[in-house]
Amino acid sequence: MRPNNRPINQTRPVTITRNYTRYAEGSVLIEFGETKVLCNATVEENVPRFLKGQQQGWVTAEYGMLPRATHSRTQREAAKGKQGGRTMEIQRLIARSLRAIVDLKALGERTITVDCDVIQADGGTRTASITGACVALHDAINKLMADGVLKQNPLKGLVAAISVGIVDGEAVCDLEYIEDSNAETDMNVVMVEDGRLVEVQGTAEGEPFSHSELLTLLDLAGQGIQQLVEAQRKALSE
Amino acid sequence: MRPNNRPINQTRPVTITRNYTRYAEGSVLIEFGETKVLCNATVEENVPRFLKGQQQGWVTAEYGMLPRATHSRTQREAAKGKQGGRTMEIQRLIARSLRAIVDLKALGERTITVDCDVIQADGGTRTASITGACVALHDAINKLMADGVLKQNPLKGLVAAISVGIVDGEAVCDLEYIEDSNAETDMNVVMVEDGRLVEVQGTAEGEPFSHSELLTLLDLAGQGIQQLVEAQRKALSE
Amino acid sequence: MRPNNRPINQTRPVTITRNYTRYAEGSVLIEFGETKVLCNATVEENVPRFLKGQQQGWVTAEYGMLPRATHSRTQREAAKGKQGGRTMEIQRLIARSLRAIVDLKALGERTITVDCDVIQADGGTRTASITGACVALHDAINKLMADGVLKQNPLKGLVAAISVGIVDGEAVCDLEYIEDSNAETDMNVVMVEDGRLVEVQGTAEGEPFSHSELLTLLDLAGQGIQQLVEAQRKALSE
Amino acid sequence: MRPNNRPINQTRPVTITRNYTRYAEGSVLIEFGETKVLCNATVEENVPRFLKGQQQGWVTAEYGMLPRATHSRTQREAAKGKQGGRTMEIQRLIARSLRAIVDLKALGERTITVDCDVIQADGGTRTASITGACVALHDAINKLMADGVLKQNPLKGLVAAISVGIVDGEAVCDLEYIEDSNAETDMNVVMVEDGRLVEVQGTAEGEPFSHSELLTLLDLAGQGIQQLVEAQRKALSE
Amino acid sequence: MRPNNRPINQTRPVTITRNYTRYAEGSVLIEFGETKVLCNATVEENVPRFLKGQQQGWVTAEYGMLPRATHSRTQREAAKGKQGGRTMEIQRLIARSLRAIVDLKALGERTITVDCDVIQADGGTRTASITGACVALHDAINKLMADGVLKQNPLKGLVAAISVGIVDGEAVCDLEYIEDSNAETDMNVVMVEDGRLVEVQGTAEGEPFSHSELLTLLDLAGQGIQQLVEAQRKALSE
Amino acid sequence: MRPNNRPINQTRPVTITRNYTRYAEGSVLIEFGETKVLCNATVEENVPRFLKGQQQGWVTAEYGMLPRATHSRTQREAAKGKQGGRTMEIQRLIARSLRAIVDLKALGERTITVDCDVIQADGGTRTASITGACVALHDAINKLMADGVLKQNPLKGLVAAISVGIVDGEAVCDLEYIEDSNAETDMNVVMVEDGRLVEVQGTAEGEPFSHSELLTLLDLAGQGIQQLVEAQRKALSE
């Protein structure tokens, strides 16, 4: 049995709170069960050097974890003087996922940075980050539309992410920490709302996994993503 | 008139939420009006190298600010690769303030680290950090007492901090950002509950200030600290 | 047509040169067409701190690129003072892939580090690294067996990696740089020799990709991996 | 009794040597007893980025300690690769203190940096730095006046700093190291020559201190500052 | 006897392979016996900031060593986060040596960077680097001439470098590792083809050396350099 | 004519002040004309990790330059976060030079670190550093002898260093800055008191130099070193 008798194809309760802080153009607290991530989108009227003069915008992301978001304290990256490999990998993934739903030409020469800071971690911080960052990005772009800065909406839809994995021989979706740390195979799937794939990152933690296990996991991921997109739609309609 | 017609000797509404996150031995969200700081206390069963074998404990603190806690986005210190001077100054101040209420011998050979992470900044982040960290520290130590790890309580009481300053020629307490950025003189005062002083840090932003202005500010600080200590007591009694 | 009229399911010519340098316990130069990576395996008689006393070994990897492995010069990471996110992501992937074929308990309390340094890059440096590192790892472990240091062989078989992608609407395997930079979807697949999956990392560079495109890509990857495993076997038998 | 039978309200012998090195626009060696700090003021014809185009100048400071300025050798910050929290705190304090006596608009778009390097430390290095830096700053600005670069003098007067503290229950001024390390309360006070306050930084090292102790310390500080200002005036008149 | 019965005034077999990699404007693999260094010259159409607008070019160099170029693995400098003193010293030496044969005015406002990366180290990596970098530089500049970018050849000739030393009381040239690690005196000599000196760096590893020993070493160096210049000429004529 | 009509074979006035600061075991201010370097020797009762358990000591050095030791301000290395290549090169040279006069076995398992900090630079800072560091090292070791910590004196004699160069076609010794910046050839020579060589580092700044020029420079260096050794002897006998 999964914790809380959760069915294998069901995500944890998802809560999306918009306008969580005052200053960001988009500010979302997303909760996947006990995992809580604050996603703040910032609009800046310039682009990174490598895009200067190319009449397009940029969407990027940064990821961080508060030192005591975890069971035991993790050393602060600012104090260590560098971001670790895991942090870099995750923030690159979030950024690519967000760019999948933005027409960068239509965004114009501006940058949107989404900061995803984990307040509390119980598995799935990167998938919660992507799912919440999508809503923060929508809010930030809707603000640019409402302010008349943008005439044409650069958004192509919604993007969400979910983890799936094989735990004790069974495929389950949206793993919490206790499941994640026992998973034989762990896969993060990023999809747009019509079910097409943006990213698939599957890793065999122990034994390699078979083609059919992969298909089972992808199917579960699709079911989970629909629940997440539903939550995003509901939040954005409020 | 102050914003919201606040009297000069009155703090902003103070909210102290205990057990804000799950894992920390003490976890407090403190709000001074729109300033929100998460204070997480972690107990670790070792001491820094310079205290090894001296049969005493240590209390330290780290401070951070989420990139979009501020009106415009501040660069992430982890991405810059170092903590700035302001961050270091503040976290040293928080740590000294907390050590003022702990008998380090009685704490035994363990370290308590309080992480103060600013979720939203509207002036007074260092004073809110100290005031909230005090409560998180109490919770962490009470847990050590309840668990029987400590027989004797190393806590000596409460410590709180407040900013006072001269704005438009008038002395006021607990400055919010709009006041802080216009203050001629800015002073942070840390006191224990009986009104004795732990730290006084006063700075003339423009013209130097007189001895009598200093006395006025100290008096206001004392009034504000009493309100904060009241809020701490109320929170700890719940 | 692909460059050099290569069929879509065929890898570039693969060359594996063992004993490429003198000192490493395993030293392999692997070439996927014009991509050339030197993979050196080093055995050290200790384990990282987090594994001390756990009676198991460790396999890790580092990845680097010579500044002029690329069309235009890339800044040297040692001079910049830090490894970039792409480097960290790749070396973490290589290391996980190698651990999939090693019984770490059977390895004993020692560490094997495989350095993958790209001499020349023409697409697929991470997949060439994994495929070459596997052979270097075999040589290093075979040496431990031959020297009598290990009684039981900790190796479980071969692991190889290939990139597949959709270029101009067509799925192809083992992309070279000119294809890679035009790919709509790019996927790196790591498999053990029996075809089971160790890692799948697929990214939509432009439009999201469909479930059926994913299946096509996985099928192509399987065909490519068989050619790589064949080349590994041939090299190891010489 | 204090070391050398020094009265409680008397500073150590103060020596101010101007033109100590050849190249700096202002170069002062200041000695507070055995504490020796070299203060070199440099004028540069530009301003930091955040002040560009605002028609004002800037005054800043850097602080350093030679490795063997102290009883046992302190690790060189350049070798460690970063400046510590104490260094940052002190150089920020020096800079704020100097800006209190300069009309930055009148300075024009130029920057004066005062480097305070401790040759030998016996307590009070930050107060000696401020007191000496003030003289170096005067020399640098007088040179700009003499050279006709500045028409109007941006200097508003003199600033000096002193430490006061409670040692063995008695309030004393200008603590040397042996006193400083035993102080129950330690306060650094920065004043302009008419006795108004620029900075007050008081810290309870052990027990918190009372309001009346604070007043006693401030009074002592005022007496010490007058002696320092006297020494500054004398040096500048030579 | 020297290893392989090599006469004292003879270099190890020298192999110079041009066009070793595809992208660099000059790409040379140089081998001094078992020491192998890849020297890649890159032309960029800009100059460092300190030369902007001075109508001259710049020649610089970077040096690196693959982690397993050595008997036991050396930590990767990119992972350590900084280049060591030895690396810096060597790359500064290479750069100065190369500038000795280039008329920087005639080069125009462009920079040539030669990356010297040691694939395998058996003593003499810095001398092999200089000798190989000279050939890579020639190739890069010949390409600029052939492409019509340069009308006038900025090259003044060839430069080469050799190590000489006193081993077991006997002066020998081009020390391999086993000799180098036992040398009493070690000297690196950089000469242009007519025998004049560009750099002399001699170090007594044990006892100081006499004037006459210095002369003996310089004479041997001259003989070795002639062999290296011969190898350079032969390679460039192919 | 040289500045101040100085003969070509004569050093600038050399002043050696012992016991310049209070705490260091050896503390020397050395002046070569306007070049002033503070050399502080520190004795510590441990050895670096690579020497642990080998029953020998170590002598090392660090070099730094105060930001305004130079005509225009040089950025502080502690603020930049790393030591530059020139600094590393110089401190490695100083350390090797000092080790030439110490029997490390006789020193026992302790480390002597000599910090050479340039107060004012007018050419020859590295040669002044070595010459002064030698005296500081003697003082530190003499103290160990006087304290009975060492029974046998590990010192083998004196070491000194001088720069020689070709300026306007003429060979001169002990170049000051104005000469150094115009030198065609620049050579630093480190000798022990009997005239044998410890280090020779000659660099052609413009045209390569001939064998006979080298001999002339070495001869001049020998004359200069005798004057420096004389000054060292005189200082040590006071």
Side-chain angles (χ1 to χ4, degrees):
Chain A
M1 289 297 286
R2 300 187 73 183
N4 300 315
N5 297 331
R6 182 148 60 100
I8 60 164
N9 67 346
Q10 197 173 299
T11 67
R12 289 170 283 180
V14 176
T15 310
I16 297 176
T17 308
R18 288 163 65 205
N19 303 314
Y20 189 75
T21 64
R22 284 168 76 92
Y23 308 126
E25 282 72 40
S27 176
V28 165
L29 181 78
I30 189 161
E31 299 170 66
F32 278 20
E34 291 293 338
T35 289
K36 301 178 187 191
V37 185
L38 175 52
C39 307
N40 280 336
T42 296
V43 179
E44 287 168 311
E45 294 294 318
N46 53 54
V47 288
R49 183 171 307 207
F50 70 93
L51 284 181
K52 284 261 191 309
Q54 305 205 15
Q55 287 169 309
Q56 70 158 93
W58 192 238
V59 175
T60 186
E62 292 193 6
Y63 172 91
M65 194 135 74
L66 295 194
R68 201 54 199 281
T70 45
H71 280 82
S72 59
R73 188 173 183 270
T74 310
Q75 202 192 338
R76 190 178 288 269
E77 289 185 323
K80 284 165 77 172
K82 65 174 176 178
Q83 295 179 298
R86 181 182 170 277
T87 293
M88 292 217 187
E89 200 171 298
I90 292 176
Q91 66 193 14
R92 285 159 57 93
L93 172 65
I94 299 169
R96 286 197 309 270
S97 299
L98 295 177
R99 286 196 292 270
I101 54 161
V102 179
D103 176 343
L104 296 174
K105 289 283 177 203
L107 180 58
E109 291 213 349
R110 53 184 60 83
T111 297
I112 302 182
T113 303
V114 187
D115 287 288
C116 298
D117 284 275
V118 180
I119 305 296
Q120 191 170 282
D122 187 30
T125 64
R126 80 188 72 188
T127 52
S129 292
I130 292 167
T131 307
C134 170
V135 178
L137 181 63
H138 272 255
D139 276 343
I141 287 181
N142 288 340
K143 187 169 182 305
L144 289 174
M145 294 292 293
D147 292 353
V149 177
L150 286 177
K151 304 290 178 239
Q152 182 200 341
N153 195 328
L155 284 167
K156 303 180 192 170
L158 295 167
V159 66
I162 198 150
S163 73
V164 285
I166 299 173
V167 184
D168 295 333
E170 188 165 38
V172 296
C173 96
D174 188 24
L175 285 66
E176 49 200 83
Y177 177 76
I178 189 72
E179 296 176 313
D180 193 33
S181 56
N182 289 308
E184 292 120 45
T185 292
D186 179 27
M187 189 155 78
N188 291 294
V189 180
V190 185
M191 284 184 183
V192 289
E193 51 192 316
D194 64 10
R196 282 178 303 148
L197 293 148
V198 172
E199 289 268 343
V200 177
Q201 296 196 341
T203 300
E205 302 289 342
E207 279 299 289
F209 52 100
S210 67
H211 191 79
S212 73
E213 285 171 319
L214 174 67
L215 295 185
T216 304
L217 289 172
L218 278 172
D219 179 56
L220 268 182
Q223 295 181 50
I225 291 281
Q226 284 318 309
Q227 299 165 48
L228 296 176
V229 168
E230 204 52 52
Q232 289 175 322
R233 281 194 189 123
K234 184 151 161 289
L236 281 167
S237 69
E238 278 160 6
Chain B
M1 288 297 284
R2 299 186 74 183
N4 300 316
N5 297 331
R6 183 150 58 101
I8 59 164
N9 67 346
Q10 195 172 298
T11 68
R12 288 171 283 178
V14 175
T15 310
I16 297 176
T17 308
R18 288 164 66 205
N19 302 315
Y20 188 73
T21 63
R22 284 168 77 91
Y23 309 125
E25 282 72 40
S27 178
V28 165
L29 181 78
I30 189 160
E31 300 170 65
F32 278 19
E34 291 293 339
T35 290
K36 302 178 187 192
V37 185
L38 175 53
C39 307
N40 280 336
T42 296
V43 179
E44 287 168 311
E45 292 295 317
N46 52 56
V47 288
R49 183 171 308 206
F50 70 93
L51 285 181
K52 286 259 191 307
Q54 306 204 13
Q55 289 168 307
Q56 69 157 94
W58 192 239
V59 175
T60 185
E62 292 194 6
Y63 172 92
M65 192 134 73
L66 295 194
R68 200 54 199 280
T70 44
H71 280 84
S72 57
R73 187 174 183 270
T74 310
Q75 204 192 338
R76 189 178 289 268
E77 288 185 326
K80 285 165 76 171
K82 64 173 177 178
Q83 296 180 297
R86 180 183 170 278
T87 293
M88 292 217 187
E89 200 171 298
I90 292 176
Q91 66 193 13
R92 286 160 56 92
L93 172 65
I94 299 168
R96 286 197 308 270
S97 300
L98 296 178
R99 286 195 292 270
I101 55 162
V102 180
D103 176 343
L104 296 174
K105 289 282 176 203
L107 180 58
E109 291 212 350
R110 53 184 58 85
T111 298
I112 302 183
T113 303
V114 187
D115 287 289
C116 298
D117 284 276
V118 179
I119 305 295
Q120 189 170 284
D122 188 30
T125 65
R126 80 188 70 189
T127 52
S129 293
I130 293 166
T131 308
C134 169
V135 178
L137 180 63
H138 271 255
D139 276 343
I141 288 180
N142 288 340
K143 187 168 183 308
L144 289 173
M145 294 291 292
D147 292 353
V149 177
L150 287 176
K151 303 291 178 236
Q152 181 201 343
N153 195 328
L155 285 167
K156 304 181 193 169
L158 295 166
V159 66
I162 198 149
S163 71
V164 285
I166 299 173
V167 184
D168 295 333
E170 187 165 38
V172 295
C173 98
D174 189 25
L175 285 65
E176 50 200 83
Y177 177 76
I178 190 72
E179 296 176 314
D180 193 32
S181 56
N182 290 309
E184 291 119 47
T185 293
D186 178 28
M187 189 155 79
N188 291 293
V189 180
V190 186
M191 283 183 182
V192 289
E193 51 192 315
D194 66 8
R196 282 177 304 147
L197 292 148
V198 173
E199 288 269 345
V200 177
Q201 295 196 341
T203 300
E205 301 289 343
E207 279 299 291
F209 53 100
S210 67
H211 191 79
S212 73
E213 285 170 319
L214 174 66
L215 296 185
T216 304
L217 289 172
L218 279 172
D219 178 57
L220 268 182
Q223 295 180 50
I225 292 281
Q226 283 320 307
Q227 299 166 49
L228 296 176
V229 168
E230 204 51 54
Q232 289 175 321
R233 280 192 191 125
K234 184 152 161 290
L236 282 166
S237 68
E238 279 160 7
Chain C
M1 288 297 285
R2 298 187 74 183
N4 301 316
N5 297 333
R6 182 149 59 99
I8 59 165
N9 66 347
Q10 197 172 297
T11 67
R12 289 170 282 180
V14 175
T15 310
I16 296 175
T17 309
R18 287 163 66 204
N19 303 316
Y20 189 74
T21 63
R22 285 169 76 91
Y23 308 124
E25 282 73 40
S27 178
V28 165
L29 181 77
I30 189 160
E31 301 171 64
F32 279 19
E34 292 293 339
T35 289
K36 302 178 186 192
V37 185
L38 176 52
C39 307
N40 280 337
T42 296
V43 179
E44 287 168 312
E45 293 296 316
N46 53 55
V47 288
R49 183 171 308 206
F50 69 93
L51 285 180
K52 285 260 190 310
Q54 306 205 12
Q55 287 168 308
Q56 70 158 92
W58 191 238
V59 175
T60 186
E62 291 195 7
Y63 172 92
M65 192 135 72
L66 295 194
R68 200 53 198 281
T70 45
H71 280 83
S72 58
R73 187 172 183 271
T74 309
Q75 203 191 338
R76 190 178 288 268
E77 288 184 326
K80 284 165 76 172
K82 64 174 177 177
Q83 296 179 297
R86 180 182 171 277
T87 293
M88 292 216 187
E89 199 171 298
I90 292 175
Q91 66 193 14
R92 285 158 57 92
L93 172 66
I94 300 169
R96 285 197 309 270
S97 299
L98 296 177
R99 286 195 293 269
I101 56 161
V102 180
D103 176 343
L104 297 174
K105 290 281 174 203
L107 181 57
E109 291 213 350
R110 54 184 58 83
T111 297
I112 302 183
T113 302
V114 187
D115 287 288
C116 298
D117 284 276
V118 180
I119 305 296
Q120 190 171 281
D122 187 31
T125 64
R126 79 188 72 187
T127 52
S129 292
I130 291 166
T131 307
C134 170
V135 178
L137 180 64
H138 272 254
D139 275 344
I141 287 180
N142 288 340
K143 187 168 183 307
L144 289 173
M145 295 291 293
D147 292 353
V149 177
L150 287 177
K151 304 290 179 240
Q152 181 200 343
N153 196 327
L155 284 166
K156 304 180 193 170
L158 295 167
V159 68
I162 197 150
S163 72
V164 284
I166 299 173
V167 183
D168 295 333
E170 189 166 37
V172 296
C173 97
D174 189 24
L175 285 65
E176 50 200 81
Y177 177 75
I178 189 73
E179 296 177 313
D180 193 33
S181 56
N182 290 308
E184 293 119 45
T185 293
D186 179 28
M187 189 154 80
N188 291 293
V189 179
V190 185
M191 285 183 182
V192 290
E193 52 191 316
D194 65 10
R196 282 179 303 147
L197 293 148
V198 173
E199 287 268 345
V200 177
Q201 295 196 342
T203 300
E205 301 289 343
E207 279 299 290
F209 52 102
S210 67
H211 190 80
S212 73
E213 285 171 321
L214 174 66
L215 295 186
T216 304
L217 290 172
L218 279 172
D219 178 57
L220 269 182
Q223 296 180 49
I225 292 282
Q226 284 318 310
Q227 299 165 48
L228 297 176
V229 168
E230 205 50 54
Q232 290 175 322
R233 282 194 188 121
K234 183 153 162 289
L236 282 166
S237 69
E238 276 159 9
Chain D
M1 286 297 286
R2 301 186 73 183
N4 300 316
N5 297 332
R6 181 149 60 98
I8 60 163
N9 66 348
Q10 197 172 297
T11 68
R12 288 170 284 180
V14 176
T15 311
I16 297 175
T17 308
R18 286 165 66 204
N19 302 316
Y20 188 74
T21 63
R22 286 168 75 92
Y23 309 126
E25 283 72 39
S27 177
V28 164
L29 181 77
I30 189 159
E31 300 170 65
F32 279 20
E34 291 293 339
T35 290
K36 303 179 186 190
V37 185
L38 175 52
C39 308
N40 280 336
T42 296
V43 179
E44 287 167 312
E45 293 295 317
N46 52 53
V47 286
R49 183 170 307 205
F50 70 93
L51 284 181
K52 285 261 190 310
Q54 305 205 15
Q55 287 168 308
Q56 70 158 92
W58 191 239
V59 174
T60 186
E62 292 193 5
Y63 172 91
M65 192 134 75
L66 295 193
R68 200 55 198 280
T70 44
H71 281 82
S72 58
R73 187 174 183 270
T74 309
Q75 202 191 337
R76 190 178 288 268
E77 288 185 325
K80 284 165 77 172
K82 63 175 178 178
Q83 295 180 297
R86 181 183 170 276
T87 293
M88 291 218 188
E89 200 171 298
I90 292 175
Q91 66 193 14
R92 285 159 56 92
L93 172 65
I94 299 169
R96 285 196 309 271
S97 300
L98 296 177
R99 285 195 293 270
I101 56 161
V102 179
D103 176 343
L104 296 174
K105 290 281 175 201
L107 180 57
E109 292 212 349
R110 54 184 58 84
T111 297
I112 302 182
T113 303
V114 187
D115 287 289
C116 298
D117 284 276
V118 180
I119 305 296
Q120 191 170 282
D122 188 30
T125 64
R126 79 189 71 189
T127 52
S129 292
I130 292 167
T131 308
C134 169
V135 178
L137 181 65
H138 272 255
D139 275 343
I141 287 180
N142 288 341
K143 187 169 183 307
L144 288 173
M145 294 291 294
D147 292 354
V149 176
L150 287 176
K151 303 291 177 237
Q152 181 200 343
N153 196 329
L155 285 167
K156 304 181 193 170
L158 296 166
V159 66
I162 197 149
S163 72
V164 286
I166 299 173
V167 183
D168 296 332
E170 187 165 40
V172 296
C173 98
D174 189 25
L175 284 65
E176 51 199 83
Y177 176 76
I178 190 71
E179 297 177 313
D180 193 33
S181 56
N182 290 309
E184 292 119 45
T185 292
D186 180 28
M187 189 155 78
N188 290 293
V189 180
V190 185
M191 283 183 183
V192 289
E193 52 192 315
D194 65 9
R196 282 177 303 147
L197 292 148
V198 172
E199 289 268 346
V200 176
Q201 296 196 340
T203 299
E205 302 288 343
E207 278 300 289
F209 52 101
S210 67
H211 191 80
S212 73
E213 285 171 319
L214 174 66
L215 295 185
T216 304
L217 290 172
L218 278 172
D219 178 56
L220 269 181
Q223 295 180 51
I225 292 282
Q226 283 318 309
Q227 298 166 49
L228 297 176
V229 167
E230 204 51 53
Q232 289 176 322
R233 280 195 190 122
K234 184 151 163 290
L236 281 166
S237 69
E238 276 160 9
Chain E
M1 287 296 285
R2 299 186 74 183
N4 301 314
N5 297 332
R6 182 148 59 99
I8 59 164
N9 66 348
Q10 196 172 300
T11 67
R12 288 171 284 180
V14 175
T15 310
I16 297 175
T17 308
R18 287 164 66 205
N19 303 314
Y20 189 74
T21 62
R22 286 167 75 91
Y23 308 125
E25 282 72 41
S27 177
V28 164
L29 181 78
I30 190 160
E31 300 171 67
F32 278 20
E34 291 293 338
T35 289
K36 302 179 187 191
V37 185
L38 174 53
C39 307
N40 280 336
T42 297
V43 179
E44 287 168 311
E45 293 294 319
N46 52 55
V47 287
R49 184 172 308 208
F50 70 93
L51 285 180
K52 285 261 189 308
Q54 305 205 15
Q55 288 168 307
Q56 70 158 94
W58 192 239
V59 175
T60 186
E62 292 193 7
Y63 172 92
M65 193 134 73
L66 295 193
R68 200 55 199 281
T70 44
H71 281 83
S72 59
R73 186 173 184 270
T74 311
Q75 202 191 339
R76 190 178 288 269
E77 288 184 325
K80 284 166 75 173
K82 65 174 178 178
Q83 296 180 298
R86 181 182 170 277
T87 293
M88 291 217 188
E89 199 172 298
I90 292 176
Q91 66 192 14
R92 286 160 55 93
L93 172 65
I94 299 169
R96 286 196 308 270
S97 300
L98 296 178
R99 286 195 293 269
I101 56 161
V102 180
D103 176 342
L104 295 175
K105 290 281 176 203
L107 180 58
E109 291 212 351
R110 54 183 58 83
T111 297
I112 301 182
T113 303
V114 187
D115 287 288
C116 299
D117 284 276
V118 180
I119 305 295
Q120 191 170 281
D122 187 31
T125 64
R126 79 188 71 189
T127 53
S129 292
I130 292 166
T131 308
C134 170
V135 178
L137 181 63
H138 271 255
D139 276 343
I141 287 180
N142 287 341
K143 187 168 183 306
L144 288 174
M145 295 291 292
D147 292 354
V149 177
L150 287 177
K151 305 290 178 238
Q152 182 200 342
N153 195 329
L155 284 166
K156 304 181 192 169
L158 295 167
V159 66
I162 199 149
S163 72
V164 286
I166 299 173
V167 184
D168 294 333
E170 186 165 39
V172 296
C173 96
D174 189 25
L175 285 66
E176 49 200 83
Y177 178 76
I178 190 71
E179 296 176 314
D180 193 32
S181 56
N182 290 308
E184 292 118 47
T185 292
D186 178 28
M187 188 155 78
N188 291 294
V189 180
V190 185
M191 284 183 182
V192 289
E193 52 191 316
D194 65 9
R196 283 177 303 147
L197 292 148
V198 173
E199 289 268 346
V200 177
Q201 296 196 341
T203 300
E205 302 288 343
E207 277 300 289
F209 53 100
S210 68
H211 190 79
S212 74
E213 285 170 320
L214 174 67
L215 295 184
T216 304
L217 289 173
L218 278 173
D219 178 56
L220 268 182
Q223 296 181 51
I225 291 281
Q226 283 318 308
Q227 299 165 49
L228 296 177
V229 167
E230 205 51 53
Q232 289 175 322
R233 281 193 189 124
K234 183 152 162 291
L236 281 167
S237 68
E238 278 159 8
Chain F
M1 288 297 283
R2 298 187 75 183
N4 302 314
N5 297 331
R6 181 149 60 99
I8 60 165
N9 66 347
Q10 196 172 299
T11 67
R12 288 170 283 179
V14 175
T15 310
I16 296 175
T17 309
R18 286 164 68 205
N19 303 315
Y20 189 74
T21 63
R22 285 168 76 91
Y23 309 125
E25 281 73 38
S27 177
V28 164
L29 182 78
I30 188 160
E31 300 170 67
F32 279 19
E34 292 293 338
T35 290
K36 302 178 185 190
V37 185
L38 175 53
C39 308
N40 280 337
T42 297
V43 180
E44 287 167 312
E45 292 296 316
N46 52 55
V47 287
R49 183 172 308 206
F50 71 93
L51 285 180
K52 286 263 189 308
Q54 305 206 14
Q55 287 167 309
Q56 70 158 94
W58 191 240
V59 175
T60 187
E62 292 193 6
Y63 173 90
M65 193 135 72
L66 294 194
R68 199 56 198 279
T70 45
H71 280 84
S72 57
R73 188 175 182 268
T74 309
Q75 202 192 338
R76 189 178 288 267
E77 288 184 326
K80 283 166 77 172
K82 64 175 180 179
Q83 295 180 298
R86 180 182 171 278
T87 293
M88 292 217 189
E89 199 171 298
I90 293 176
Q91 66 192 14
R92 285 158 57 92
L93 173 65
I94 299 169
R96 286 197 308 271
S97 300
L98 296 177
R99 285 195 293 270
I101 55 162
V102 180
D103 176 344
L104 296 174
K105 289 281 176 204
L107 180 57
E109 292 212 350
R110 53 184 59 84
T111 297
I112 302 182
T113 303
V114 187
D115 287 288
C116 298
D117 285 275
V118 180
I119 305 294
Q120 191 170 280
D122 187 31
T125 64
R126 79 188 72 189
T127 52
S129 293
I130 292 166
T131 307
C134 169
V135 179
L137 181 63
H138 272 254
D139 276 343
I141 287 180
N142 288 340
K143 187 169 182 306
L144 289 173
M145 294 291 293
D147 292 353
V149 177
L150 287 176
K151 303 289 179 239
Q152 180 200 343
N153 195 329
L155 284 166
K156 305 181 192 168
L158 295 167
V159 66
I162 198 151
S163 72
V164 286
I166 299 173
V167 184
D168 296 333
E170 187 165 39
V172 296
C173 97
D174 188 26
L175 285 64
E176 50 200 82
Y177 177 76
I178 190 72
E179 296 176 314
D180 192 32
S181 56
N182 290 309
E184 292 118 47
T185 293
D186 179 29
M187 190 154 79
N188 291 293
V189 180
V190 185
M191 284 182 181
V192 289
E193 54 191 314
D194 65 9
R196 282 177 305 147
L197 293 147
V198 173
E199 289 268 345
V200 177
Q201 296 196 340
T203 300
E205 301 288 344
E207 279 299 291
F209 54 100
S210 67
H211 190 80
S212 74
E213 285 172 319
L214 174 66
L215 295 185
T216 305
L217 290 173
L218 278 172
D219 178 57
L220 268 182
Q223 296 180 50
I225 292 282
Q226 283 318 310
Q227 299 166 48
L228 296 177
V229 168
E230 205 51 54
Q232 289 176 321
R233 280 193 189 123
K234 183 153 162 290
L236 281 167
S237 68
E238 278 159 9

